[in-house]
Amino acid sequence: MPGRGLYSPSIMPDTPQPLHHDTRYDFAAAEPRWQQAWEAARCFSVPDVPPAGAKKYYVLEMFPYPSGKIHMGHVRNYTLGDVVARYKRAQGHLVMHPMGWDAFGLPAENAARERGTHPAKWTYANIANMRAELKRMGLSLEWEREFATCDPEYYGQQQKLFLDCLKAGLVERKESWVNWDPVDGTVLANEQVIDGKGWRSGAPVEKKKLSQWFFAITKFAPELLEALGTLERWPERVRLMQANWIGRSEGARFAFQLAEPVDGMTDCEVFTTRPDTLFGMSFLAVAAEHPLAAAAAARNPEAAAFIAECRAMGTSEAVIEQAEKKGFDTGFRVVHPFTGESFPVWIANFVLMEYGTGALFGCPGHDERDHEFASKYGLPILPVVQPRGAAPDFSVAAKPYTDDGVIVNSQWLDGLDVPAAKRAAIAKLEEMGAGQGVTNWRLRDWGVSRQRYWGCPIPVIHCDDCGVVPVPADQLPVVLPEDVDFSRPGNPLDHHPTWKHVNCPCCGKPARRETDTFDTFVDSSWYFARFCSPRAGEPVTKAAVDAWLPVDQYIGGIEHAILHLLYSRFFTRAMKATGHVKLDEPFAGLFTQGMVTHESYRSAVDQRWLYPEEVEKLGDGTAVVKGTNEPVIVGRIESMSKSKRNTVDPGAIINRYGADTARWFILSDNPPERDMEWSESGVAGASRFIGRIWRLAQSMVEADKPDEAVGKKLRQATHRAIAAVTEALEAFTFNVAVAKIHELANTIGDSATAPLAARREAMEALVRLSAPMMPHLAEEIWALLNPGRGLVAQLPWLEADPALLRAETATLAVQVLGKLRGTIEVSVDASDEEVFALAEAEPNVIRALDGKPVKKRIHVKGRVVNLVI
RNA sequence: GCGGGCGUGGUGGAACUGGUAGACGCGCCGGACUCAAAAUCCGGUUCUGGUGACAGAGUGUCGGUUCGAUUCCGACCGCCCGCACCA
């Protein structure tokens, strides 16, 4: 009943008056009014340090890059988070739900080069626009905590954290390879390399070695892997992907002696996970960046040409691994540690310098890549492992055998299984002093240096005498200069006339600032901590982070499953090591949403991409361009992207249908972890439902002849809906919550004869259950039904009455041999005997039994009866 | 290439822990209201056969386990995501 103790006294005496009755729901008037009411009541504000005894809950969606406009992916992400925030708040939690901007990055520099707009101006204008758009969505965000990572107040604190890490030995300077555009004189991101060429200059890209800053994430590899087991509220697939990325593998590291020394090198060290197949070796392969490759290049122009070809592939692992396997025989030879036989050393384009030692021994019989390589260059392919009980004609000539089995052709390893042979081979290598068993990690240290302007300056100074000197704390933040020139290629910080010239803080002599800036993943690796005390004069305030962290529910795209999340997990540990936080894991719960997709359209005449609003769909399934009627090719459903023009502008949707409709549709379409297809008709349907609820709310008048039986059924439906919606919200199956609310609305519509009290109870429950999803309509109807009774945003969540959830009878399916032959209605606590008797009396069941004796009877309470004949 | 995921009517999807496949929405079909349209309301809608009661088939494909499989196991096919300088 409406009086189940859930009315709270009017918290806000001046809640807005509802709209006039009997009109169409005017979302354009209602939505801004309720947004203002929430803001005036400070419904979503929480203190940096929660009061004792408060149940805190930190909801966070991945903050957006301020590209200029919000897109449907944002609408989905922030709607999901808002449902959680509003639901948890109603459940009595003190909810922190902040928003900010991942504001450094390449697009701002591209805009500067293309349009001459300064990155800061472009970025802050985009932020202003996107903030306004987000506000129109009616999100329960606490805007007081907002910041952008390009604010000096933020990145200055980041510089402090970096210097703390430097002091703690968590930062190193090392050389690494980058994509280099020789014409533009610029380092390129992988996405700026297209078919091996720079995206602007079109010049073939080269790999170049640069001295860069690295976070020592590999020091944490074992615990980053192990702690995945504690992340119970993370999707299993994300944990799996991270585990594979960290890539722990057991194997051996050992040296091959070179048959003859090369430039002072007498051996070549390799890493392998398959020391058991060492007798099946037919060549040794090194990466193009390996010292032996360099030595070969110095002797042979063809080798140099091959290395140049490898360098032209860029640094993308996906590109390298998909390229055709190619190699070059250096003419050097190595000696097998067990047999003394000698083997050729090849440079191979599939060997990665970053993994293991940059060199491997090739065993084509038992490795896919080695097999492809050996087949191509006519190198021997020897079987050394066979499946147990292998046929006499077992061969690895056509296909390598990579599973467990029994070792053959391997002298003293023969007859062992693979794990035993691995142990034996490692023991022998150790005994010989050639190498040892090791654990290898695929994870590499995190290179954070970027040769770009629009990023956080790395706060160090290079002095010829003192080396690398940290910028003293009292000189932080190191602020980006505003007067920069984007007309020249390269890093504007580097060719700025004055900015980099400073005196060394140690010796006072002229020195140079570091002109590299941080990878933007650094910015996003601790923003969640900064939100706890966003204006503090230190990176984080201990009392605030200790109280609010970890994030209880983090929500974002699956595309961040590895890098952003792994870097954040590392950075949190680094902040712990430097005394800023107490915890290891930043995100206790993670939810990864799917993408928003749409059909794509191209003109059949000139193949140009078309926006959905330019296209008219005809009844026969074909489509034409509005106005010109030129035929349109309806393309695949794919991720919304600007280049394919298959985007829908959330602003336009909100203008036309209102924020609640957009939110409701985006939640109702499908489960949030899956990709969703945006459809006009789906939005229109959501809009119709809102109209229907609005009309239903106005029909809350007593029936002429109230029917108690209908009332009881309605009350049961109401409380079942409360239980079902609660369960669905807990499970993140918001589409199911929407369906259950639809069912309740259908039942209210069918219960016009129920007593008014039951109808009102149902209506109020509907409103409160749907409030996390369509908060404006909920407030509007609440105010209509209960003027002056406060805001739904401040009401507690409903609880179902268990007495009304109980059912007296159950419908059982009756199967004969597993096939449905009828249903019976039984009391919920009917005995097996009663149930079987009823089942076997069903006419259709009798026909299916066909007079045969029943051999076995199965009864699953409340579900099914199965008769086996 | 390597790693991860997904696949159910015309369509998005639902289905507790292995127990009536298709809840709910969209679309479509029919009807009411209207001069007409929009809006709204009511009914129908997995496929095949049958007037019907009903029967048969059916959750990407093929096979297995089980009294019973969308659910568990194996192989395959298709699509999607990530691969370290996009965010």
Side-chain angles (χ1 to χ4, degrees), chain A residues 185-231:
Chain A
T186 313
V187 176
L188 298 176
N190 279 334
E191 68 155 18
Q192 296 174 322
V193 179
I194 296 154
D195 294 331
K197 301 194 175 71
W199 65 337
R200 271 188 230 283
S201 70
V205 167
E206 297 168 3
K207 278 199 225 177
K208 188 177 169 181
K209 210 176 220 179
L210 286 187
S211 196
Q212 314 222 53
W213 289 103
F214 285 80
F215 277 112
I217 189 171
T218 51
K219 285 189 183 169
F220 292 83
E223 63 164 295
L224 285 169
L225 181 66
E226 264 166 46
L228 287 172
T230 66
L231 298 174

Side-chain angles (χ1 to χ4, degrees), chain A residues 274-280 366 383-388 401 403-422 424:
Chain A
R274 295 295 304 271
D276 55 307
T277 64
L278 201 37
F279 286 97
H366 307 284
V384 290
V385 187
Q386 278 186 1
R388 291 216 177 261
Y401 178 74
D403 291 337
D404 195 4
V406 55
I407 305 292
V408 294
N409 302 328
S410 299
Q411 301 183 8
W412 39 273
L413 289 176
D414 283 356
L416 296 176
D417 62 13
V418 166
K422 283 182 181 177

Side-chain angles (χ1 to χ4, degrees), chain A residues 587-638:
Chain A
F587 311 122
L590 172 70
F591 186 86
T592 51
Q593 56 163 357
M595 297 179 305
V596 182
T597 62
H598 198 279
E599 277 178 342
S600 56
Y601 309 103
R602 324 182 71 144
S603 159
V605 178
D606 57 9
Q607 302 292 309
R608 70 178 196 281
W609 296 102
L610 299 161
Y611 289 108
E613 55 268 28
E614 294 177 274
V615 174
E616 182 170 8
K617 290 215 162 177
L618 304 179
D620 59 1
T622 63
V624 294
V625 176
K626 278 181 198 164
T628 67
N629 281 337
E630 62 185 285
V632 166
I633 303 162
V634 177
R636 299 188 328 166
I637 291 163
E638 50 195 325

Side-chain angles (χ1 to χ4, degrees), chain A residues 126-140:
Chain A
N126 286 347
I127 287 174
N129 190 47
M130 289 173 73
R131 183 194 300 116
E133 289 187 302
L134 287 182
K135 286 193 171 182
R136 291 182 57 209
M137 283 180 61
L139 303 168
S140 64

Side-chain angles (χ1 to χ4, degrees), chain A residues 158 161-162 165-166 170-172 174 213-219 444-448 518 522 570-571 574:
Chain A
Q158 185 165 306
L161 289 175
F162 173 80
C165 288
L166 186 63
L170 298 172
V171 173
E172 296 166 29
K174 299 195 278 195
W213 289 103
F214 285 80
F215 277 112
I217 189 171
T218 51
K219 285 189 183 169
R444 309 201 293 254
D445 275 334
W446 175 17
V448 293
F518 282 123
V522 180
F570 158 73
F571 211 82

Side-chain angles (χ1 to χ4, degrees), chain A residues 159-178:
Chain A
Q159 291 168 345
K160 279 190 207 169
L161 289 175
F162 173 80
L163 294 178
D164 287 347
C165 288
L166 186 63
K167 205 182 290 174
L170 298 172
V171 173
E172 296 166 29
R173 201 154 166 78
K174 299 195 278 195
E175 293 198 311
S176 77
W177 295 88
V178 295

Side-chain angles (χ1 to χ4, degrees), chain A residues 414-741:
Chain A
D414 283 356
L416 296 176
D417 62 13
V418 166
K422 283 182 181 177
R423 287 192 296 271
I426 290 171
K428 182 84 174 175
L429 288 167
E430 289 178 348
E431 185 191 313
M432 292 167 64
Q436 62 275 303
V438 293
T439 301
N440 193 54
W441 302 85
R442 208 185 75 97
L443 184 68
R444 309 201 293 254
D445 275 334
W446 175 17
V448 293
S449 297
R450 298 291 181 270
Q451 297 69 39
R452 312 192 190 289
Y453 167 73
W454 194 234
C456 170
I458 299 176
V460 296
I461 291 163
H462 298 274
C463 171
D464 289 337
D465 291 346
C466 310
V468 172
V469 181
V471 173
D474 61 359
Q475 289 172 31
L476 292 179
V478 176
V479 179
L480 288 169
E482 281 180 29
D483 52 331
V484 279
D485 177 12
F486 285 98
S487 63
R488 286 170 61 189
N491 180 0
L493 282 182
D494 198 33
H495 46 65
H496 187 278
T498 56
W499 186 77
K500 70 175 171 186
H501 302 294
V502 288
N503 291 330
C504 173
C506 283
C507 65
K509 283 190 210 149
R512 299 169 316 281
R513 272 194 200 289
E514 170 74 63
T515 58
D516 286 353
T517 52
F518 282 123
D519 176 8
T520 56
F521 274 125
V522 180
D523 311 338
S524 56
S525 288
W526 71 286
Y527 77 108
F528 48 86
R530 181 72 181 167
F531 272 137
C532 301
S533 51
R535 314 287 168 237
E538 52 197 328
V540 295
T541 305
K542 283 205 179 69
V545 285
D546 289 348
W548 282 107
L549 290 181
V551 174
D552 294 280
Q553 187 63 59
Y554 196 37
I555 304 169
I558 185 69
E559 67 273 19
H560 294 290
I562 296 174
L563 293 182
H564 161 59
L565 292 169
L566 190 61
Y567 291 150
S568 297
R569 294 180 61 219
F570 158 73
F571 211 82
T572 303
R573 286 170 169 78
M575 287 176 75
K576 185 185 179 191
T578 50
H580 293 282
V581 299
K582 284 185 185 162
L583 77 174
D584 291 314
E585 289 294 338
F587 311 122
L590 172 70
F591 186 86
T592 51
Q593 56 163 357
M595 297 179 305
V596 182
T597 62
H598 198 279
E599 277 178 342
S600 56
Y601 309 103
R602 324 182 71 144
S603 159
V605 178
D606 57 9
Q607 302 292 309
R608 70 178 196 281
W609 296 102
L610 299 161
Y611 289 108
E613 55 268 28
E614 294 177 274
V615 174
E616 182 170 8
K617 290 215 162 177
L618 304 179
D620 59 1
T622 63
V624 294
V625 176
K626 278 181 198 164
T628 67
N629 281 337
E630 62 185 285
V632 166
I633 303 162
V634 177
R636 299 188 328 166
I637 291 163
E638 50 195 325
S639 177
M640 286 190 179
S641 83
K642 276 184 196 158
S643 63
K644 288 175 184 142
R645 299 199 162 181
N646 61 337
T647 53
V648 174
D649 173 26
I653 297 293
I654 293 174
N655 283 341
R656 180 153 170 214
Y657 296 101
D660 281 343
T661 295
R663 295 169 58 123
W664 188 250
F665 170 61
I666 218 159
L667 292 165
S668 67
D669 188 58
N670 66 355
E673 70 273 14
R674 268 193 238 177
D675 289 353
M676 82 167 285
E677 189 191 348
W678 186 267
S679 76
E680 271 305 298
S681 52
V683 188
S687 178
R688 270 205 300 278
F689 182 69
I690 285 177
R692 185 154 160 249
I693 299 306
W694 179 245
R695 285 188 299 278
L696 211 49
Q698 329 241 338
S699 67
M700 291 294 124
V701 287
E702 188 66 270
D704 291 342
K705 285 182 195 149
D707 184 334
E708 286 298 339
V710 175
K712 188 183 177 198
K713 279 203 171 139
L714 178 58
R715 295 208 61 212
Q716 284 181 328
T718 300
H719 285 264
R720 284 196 190 120
I722 292 169
V725 171
T726 305
E727 192 187 328
L729 294 187
E730 289 286 347
F732 263 79
T733 49
F734 301 134
N735 55 323
V736 178
V738 166
K740 297 298 175 189
I741 289 170

